[in-house]
Amino acid sequence: MTEHLDVAKLQRRLAEFAAARNWQPYHTPKNLAAALSVEASELVEIFQWLTPEESARVMDDPDTAHRVTDEVADVLAYLLQLCEVLGIEPLAALAAKIDRNERRFPVPGEGDT
């Protein structure tokens, strides 16, 4: 796919995909949050028994890399759908959270006078 990807475009594609299959009644915040949790668990399962060193090289194996990529896509898809249903702008929410974390956890030595 060569077209420029952005969050809003992907959210529209996900909504159109669900609408074409009449899945909207099932895409409640509760169901989407549960599905997100399941997909995140499937991602964790890939890493569950790996050493830290093995986990750092997980993308070296094409089969495992494909599994990881698919699970990341599933997690992101459900997160974007949840944001759409709840009216959350995901990039704005992330930017605001980073701002709060920068205030909560300042770099040691910065701001000390």
Side-chain angles (χ1 to χ4, degrees), residues 24 64 87 103:
Q24 307 97 315
T64 306
R103 288 190 300 276

Side-chain angles (χ1 to χ4, degrees), residues 36-95:
L36 174 59
S37 175
V38 169
E39 295 301 338
S41 294
E42 290 178 7
L43 179 60
V44 169
E45 183 179 31
I46 296 168
F47 294 90
Q48 185 173 8
W49 303 114
L50 300 181
T51 65
E53 295 78 20
E54 290 169 334
S55 71
R57 295 187 310 272
V58 75
M59 299 304 281
D60 293 347
D61 175 62
D63 290 336
T64 306
H66 180 72
R67 288 178 55 215
V68 169
T69 301
D70 274 357
E71 295 307 335
V72 165
D74 288 342
V75 168
L76 184 56
Y78 280 117
L79 181 60
L80 291 177
Q81 289 174 89
L82 180 63
C83 287
E84 180 73 18
V85 166
L86 294 175
I88 295 170
E89 167 45 52
L91 297 182
L94 176 57

